[in-house]
Amino acid sequence: MTKAPFANPGWAGNTGDFELTESEIRGSDFVGERPKSGGHASGAGAMPFMFRRREPDSEIFRGEYLERIEKVVSRYPDKRAALLAALSIVQEIRGHVGHADMREVAELLDLPTAHVRGVATFYTMYNKRPVGLNLVQVCTNISCSLMGADEVFRGFLDHIGVQPGETSDDGEFTVVEAECLAACGFATCVQINSRYYENVSAEDIPDIVAHLRSGGGE
Amino acid sequence: MPPSLVNLTIDGRKVAVRKGTTILEAARQVGSHVPHYCYHPGLSSPAMCRLCLVEVEGASKPMPSCVTTVQEGQVVRVNSEEAVGHREGVLEFYLVNHPLDCPICDMSGECDLQDYVHYGGRERGRSQEPKRVFGRDDFGGDVLFYGDRCVMCTRCVRFMSEVEGDERLTVVERGDRAVIDTFFEEGLEGTNWHGNIVDICPVGALLSKDFLHKARAWDLEHSPSVCTSCSQGCNVELHVRDNLVQRIKPRENLAVNGWWMCDHGRHNYEWMNRGGRLQEPYARVRSSSTGNGSSANGSSGNGSSPNGAGRSSWSATLSRVRDALIAARGGAGTLAVASPFLSNEDLAALVRLVDALGGGRVVYRSRRAPDENVLKGFPQLARRRDLAPNTTGLGLMGAKRVGDDDGAGGLDRVAGHDGVVIVVGDALHDQMDDFAASASAFIYAGSHAPPSARSAHALLPVTTFAEQEGSFTNLDGRVQRFSPALIPPGSARPPWFVLGALAASMDGGEMARSTAEAFAALSASSPAFAGLDFEALLEGGAMAKTEPARGEGR
Ligand code: SF4
Ligand code: SF4
Ligand code: FES
Ligand code: FES
């Protein structure tokens, strides 16, 4: 068997082929930490930039954030490729990506502003307007739908008392529908901030919401 | 080495095309049109629209012909039942969301979707769902966006990034929410070539505010012409209704402007529609041949014809003018002011007339912009500094430029000249009322009678380029033809005809009776134009013999 030279194995545990730690592979210093508890490994890619904690007043791309973006840029032959990562950092800091942020990213990466907008709006995981501290995304795609996603979605809306896409008055919750979250085997899947909650049924909702209210949504 | 050729069969016809040609282009060469939206010869092909599907023998699925290059021995069927069926399917999807508001859409009559549905659409839609609605957006500049009509071909996005070189447009969102937009309120303001996205939008999603609801496409007459707004000489079409130019569209000429034209040229047409025209010839010079009194037309100098002289007025006026010129000839000599908006033929006639008067100087004035405005993705095209269409032609025929970059000044010698003064086309806008008051004969030929022509002994109504046939020489020395789009007012005649008639009556030579004859006379008399064939000029123009001076005057 010919061994391929180094290829990033993702993180499916240590396969024994490489002497690399998870943080070496993920680059946790600058991509961000994996949450301490819960979450399915398949959600790892979405983790770093969906925090409950926000720093809306901090400057984007100064200090530590600038270091991070510089590291990201250094990974690619051209700056355009660092756009997704840059937008992720914005979202991590602010909780959403606003007009002014897009302009700032465009300036930093020397890209046309329209291009940045096009990319930011193409990907649904970027929030284009402010969301609550807990962003509840209920998958209503086919597997989840078969497993009662509509009830779960309605359940969240009713329990929290919002309309789809709305943020609750206390700023704690925003509930939206999501396309397939790629956790079809564990339907109904609900992504809350960085974390996947799987096999969710309508009965689980009060517990989940209480957990989130007590600050457990990190 | 001959370019390597690839042999293939398209719709049963054998064809050999250059390696690397796409099936769509090869099909065009054998005369099979493949429906398409996203493909445009001047842009990259992203295979967005899937309307160009064709059947390729041996391929497991229909192929998008705009991005599939030809292969040796390939057998392509553009019009087989299967290929047509695939395209019908795609078309049906387009109609799921398209509003079909042809009755109020400005693109109606020249819309690709309308045509394709007409030729190959289903009789009735099967979709039960409500259509998606985006509404409209003002993109700034001259562009309005009707989101519901957009077919997401991204031609406009690619034009802005690849050709204009200013990536203002983008696709926002995705899937059925995808919509074309700029960066929020930024808009297209400040770009110089964005009118082209209205032309290349295959449906009525991008419309010109200037043309909005002005006319229906099928009511417009199209006349091939040349842009007069700078010396680039973009090939254009004048679209006319009610004897008014309604809009200008570019015409393909790869050597000059590709498929494009600038916004400055596109919107500079109102002057062709200006009223208050000089309609009848008018002379107040004494005529020895008729023994007529001083003024034939009373004293009003505004060019209307109170004398009702009808058809004879031209010949009567011209013979009086000729007599006056003959009487004044010699003496202090002739000074002529031409306009860089005159055609080559007009100018040749003017030069001949000056020669018949014993020679003299021909000068012209032209406006110049401070800089060029280059189209980044097609840099052979620019809005040139020189803002007139025929300065090169004037230069080739010996006329000299005077005055400043605003097209003013420089006429002091002419204004005070006491010999013969002939002004053709120049509006004399900056001149005093007593311009050429002391001239022994002052002939003014133009479309309007300006106040400074008050002392003219004769006012001769001539056509603008939009009302006549002729040719211009662009900055590269390319001689290009334009054809008449408007009916001239009153008895205005082309300058080459009027001046040619005067010259012929004086030098006893032949008088040109058609533009072709006028051009033939020009190519006989001017070495720069020797050997050029007027008929052949229609297709893309031809180069004049003399290398024009490039650089400063561009
Ligand atoms: S606006 Fe017109 S050119 Fe632009 S993507 Fe839509 S249909 Fe195509
Ligand atoms: S570049 Fe010059 S010739 Fe071409 S459209 Fe503009 S003004 Fe007219
Ligand atoms: S359908 Fe819900 S995760 Fe795939
Ligand atoms: S023209 Fe080929 S996919 Fe659009």
Side-chain angles (χ1 to χ4, degrees):
Chain A
M1 195 178 97
T2 51
K3 268 203 178 168
F6 176 81
N8 187 334
W11 190 254
N14 197 334
T15 56
D17 287 345
F18 306 100
E19 292 309 316
L20 291 169
T21 64
E22 178 176 354
S23 76
E24 278 169 335
I25 288 166
R26 299 185 64 234
S28 305
D29 319 353
F30 51 92
V31 178
E33 282 302 320
R34 184 184 177 84
K36 296 292 176 281
S37 63
H40 189 279
S42 64
M47 281 173 196
F49 43 88
M50 295 250 190
F51 287 133
R52 184 189 153 91
R53 158 172 44 86
R54 314 245 157 98
E55 299 170 46
D57 300 326
S58 81
E59 286 183 291
I60 305 181
F61 308 133
R62 304 283 181 282
E64 103 174 86
Y65 295 120
L66 182 63
E67 271 167 42
R68 265 171 64 187
I69 192 72
E70 275 169 356
K71 270 190 187 167
V72 174
V73 169
S74 73
R75 286 174 161 189
Y76 302 102
D78 101 54
K79 281 187 174 180
R80 192 171 275 251
L83 179 53
L84 292 182
L87 292 171
S88 303
I89 293 176
V90 169
Q91 176 146 312
E92 176 189 327
I93 306 170
R94 298 244 185 276
H96 77 285
V97 183
H99 301 191
D101 305 326
M102 289 183 202
R103 191 182 295 281
E104 201 165 337
V105 169
E107 270 162 30
L108 185 87
L109 300 179
D110 288 329
L111 294 175
T113 45
H115 177 78
V116 174
R117 181 183 181 199
V119 171
T121 52
F122 182 86
Y123 294 98
T124 49
M125 69 274 220
Y126 296 121
N127 305 320
K128 265 69 69 180
R129 48 200 174 97
V131 293
L133 290 178
N134 297 298
L135 178 63
V136 180
Q137 306 187 65
V138 184
C139 173
T140 52
N141 231 279
I142 184 66
S143 299
C144 295
S145 169
L146 292 172
M147 296 301 286
D150 288 347
E151 277 161 54
V152 175
F153 184 50
R154 181 98 327 257
F156 270 108
L157 294 174
D158 291 349
H159 193 81
I160 295 165
V162 288
Q163 296 293 315
E166 251 181 32
T167 302
S168 59
D169 292 340
D170 57 5
E172 281 279 335
F173 295 97
T174 303
V175 184
V176 296
E177 267 183 280
E179 293 303 321
C180 181
L181 292 172
C184 307
F186 311 90
T188 294
C189 178
V190 181
Q191 183 182 357
I192 303 177
N193 298 338
S194 307
R195 191 141 4 136
Y196 273 23
Y197 290 69
E198 292 161 345
N199 301 319
V200 177
S201 66
E203 294 87 76
D204 303 330
I205 293 174
D207 280 355
I208 294 177
V209 171
H211 170 70
L212 296 173
R213 282 206 200 280
S214 63
E218 205 48 29
Chain B
M1 216 177 76
S4 37
L5 291 178
V6 176
N7 299 289
L8 71 161
T9 312
I10 299 176
D11 283 343
R13 264 168 294 183
K14 293 208 176 319
V15 58
V17 295
R18 286 254 286 284
K19 205 173 157 190
T21 310
T22 61
I23 294 179
L24 190 147
E25 279 154 2
R28 173 172 295 178
Q29 287 176 26
V30 299
S32 291
H33 174 77
V34 189
H36 59 264
Y37 284 144
C38 65
Y39 166 82
H40 185 283
L43 303 169
S44 65
S45 286
M48 286 288 283
C49 70
R50 301 285 149 165
L51 204 63
C52 66
L53 296 179
V54 295
E55 186 190 345
V56 175
E57 208 170 86
S60 55
K61 58 186 178 67
M63 302 301 259
S65 60
C66 65
V67 288
T68 311
T69 46
V70 293
Q71 304 288 327
E72 185 63 36
Q74 212 168 32
V75 178
V76 175
R77 281 185 280 271
V78 172
N79 290 311
S80 66
E81 209 174 305
E82 194 195 321
V84 170
H86 287 307
R87 295 200 297 265
E88 277 174 8
V90 173
L91 206 54
E92 191 175 4
F93 271 115
Y94 276 108
L95 294 179
V96 165
N97 279 317
H98 199 85
L100 289 180
D101 48 8
C102 312
I104 53 153
C105 177
D106 253 5
M107 197 70 174
S108 200
E110 42 192 22
C111 166
D112 289 347
L113 184 63
Q114 203 176 36
D115 292 351
Y116 296 152
V117 172
H118 180 75
Y119 290 121
R122 298 177 59 88
E123 239 164 71
R124 248 160 244 292
R126 290 185 291 177
S127 172
Q128 306 281 323
E129 306 295 321
K131 299 195 181 209
R132 135 209 100 161
V133 173
F134 287 125
R136 301 164 198 184
D137 193 1
D138 185 345
F139 273 2
D142 183 45
V143 180
L144 271 187
F145 177 61
Y146 283 65
D148 308 330
R149 296 179 188 152
C150 173
V151 293
M152 265 303 141
C153 66
T154 69
R155 278 186 185 183
C156 54
V157 176
R158 282 173 285 136
F159 175 84
M160 289 305 289
S161 63
E162 294 169 13
V163 185
E164 166 108 38
D166 186 350
E167 200 174 332
R168 298 272 187 118
L169 288 177
T170 188
V171 180
V172 176
E173 297 284 348
R174 68 173 171 193
D176 70 336
R177 284 159 294 196
V179 68
I180 302 295
D181 205 351
T182 61
F183 189 73
F184 305 102
E185 300 310 315
E186 185 183 45
L188 295 167
E189 204 65 63
T191 56
N192 296 307
W193 304 85
H194 66 240
N196 293 301
I197 66 176
V198 175
D199 299 340
I200 62 176
C201 180
V203 292
L206 295 173
L207 295 178
S208 159
K209 291 187 212 167
D210 179 62
F211 186 68
L212 196 68
H213 305 323
K214 252 200 315 208
R216 312 264 48 200
W218 54 86
D219 280 343
L220 296 167
E221 307 249 359
H222 300 192
S223 301
S225 191
V226 174
C227 176
T228 52
S229 297
C230 87
S231 60
Q232 175 80 27
C234 288
N235 291 217
V236 299
E237 269 179 5
L238 303 183
H239 289 188
V240 172
R241 196 187 68 158
D242 299 338
N243 206 33
L244 297 171
V245 176
Q246 308 283 351
R247 63 175 180 185
I248 304 185
K249 290 271 184 190
R251 192 158 54 92
E252 178 181 336
N253 183 339
L254 288 181
V256 182
N257 57 316
W259 302 264
W260 324 118
M261 74 182 292
C262 75
D263 297 340
H264 165 75
R266 188 185 295 269
H267 296 297
N268 183 19
Y269 62 82
E270 278 304 333
W271 66 271
M272 300 171 202
N273 299 334
R274 222 177 113 204
R277 290 285 297 269
L278 197 50
Q279 303 228 353
E280 306 293 335
Y282 158 70
R284 80 174 110 101
V285 288
R286 198 173 287 277
S287 163
S288 55
S289 62
T290 59
N292 211 340
S294 64
S295 169
N297 290 343
S299 57
S300 76
N302 66 4
S304 62
S305 173
N307 71 345
R311 304 187 57 182
S312 71
S313 67
W314 261 118
S315 56
T317 313
L318 285 186
S319 57
R320 282 200 289 278
V321 169
R322 182 201 57 206
D323 294 346
L325 287 175
I326 288 173
R329 130 171 105 180
T334 305
L335 291 183
V337 181
S339 154
F341 287 76
L342 296 182
S343 71
N344 295 320
E345 297 77 10
D346 296 340
L347 204 77
L350 175 63
V351 169
R352 180 176 166 197
L353 177 59
V354 171
D355 286 347
L357 288 165
R361 230 169 101 84
V362 182
V363 299
Y364 67 94
R365 311 186 294 169
S366 75
R367 286 197 312 126
R368 277 190 188 168
D371 49 14
E372 284 193 356
N373 193 336
V374 183
L375 183 54
K376 290 203 193 84
F378 193 83
Q380 62 264 52
L381 171 57
R383 203 270 297 120
R384 303 292 174 180
R385 289 194 54 208
D386 188 337
L387 299 177
N390 205 19
T391 38
T392 308
L394 265 67
L396 288 176
M397 279 178 258
K400 293 276 174 289
R401 179 170 185 263
V402 296
D404 58 19
D405 282 357
D406 292 327
L411 295 186
D412 296 348
R413 244 187 84 192
V414 187
H417 188 58
D418 54 10
V420 175
V421 170
I422 304 173
V423 178
V424 188
D426 192 306
L428 301 176
H429 60 93
D430 60 327
Q431 299 299 312
M432 304 296 243
D433 282 358
D434 64 351
F435 181 82
S438 50
S440 56
F442 171 18
I443 312 298
Y444 184 86
S447 54
H448 293 79
S452 335
R454 181 166 299 174
S455 335
H457 298 109
L459 292 171
L460 307 177
V462 293
T463 53
T464 65
F465 91 103
E467 298 152 354
Q468 70 179 77
E469 201 177 23
S471 64
F472 290 134
T473 310
N474 83 348
L475 81 159
D476 293 322
R478 182 174 294 272
V479 185
Q480 309 192 97
R481 264 181 74 173
F482 53 88
S483 41
L486 302 176
I487 301 165
S491 47
R493 293 288 177 269
W496 60 262
F497 188 75
V498 175
L499 302 172
L502 272 178
S505 70
M506 246 172 267
D507 63 16
E510 285 287 313
M511 176 190 161
R513 309 217 164 249
S514 67
T515 327
E517 283 180 28
F519 189 83
L522 163 66
S523 60
S525 67
S526 167
F529 296 88
L532 295 183
D533 174 18
F534 193 61
E535 286 311 313
L537 288 184
L538 261 184
E539 293 304 322
M543 300 304 276
K545 289 277 150 18
T546 310
E547 184 65 23
R550 296 190 65 129
E552 200 263 328
R554 288 170 68 131

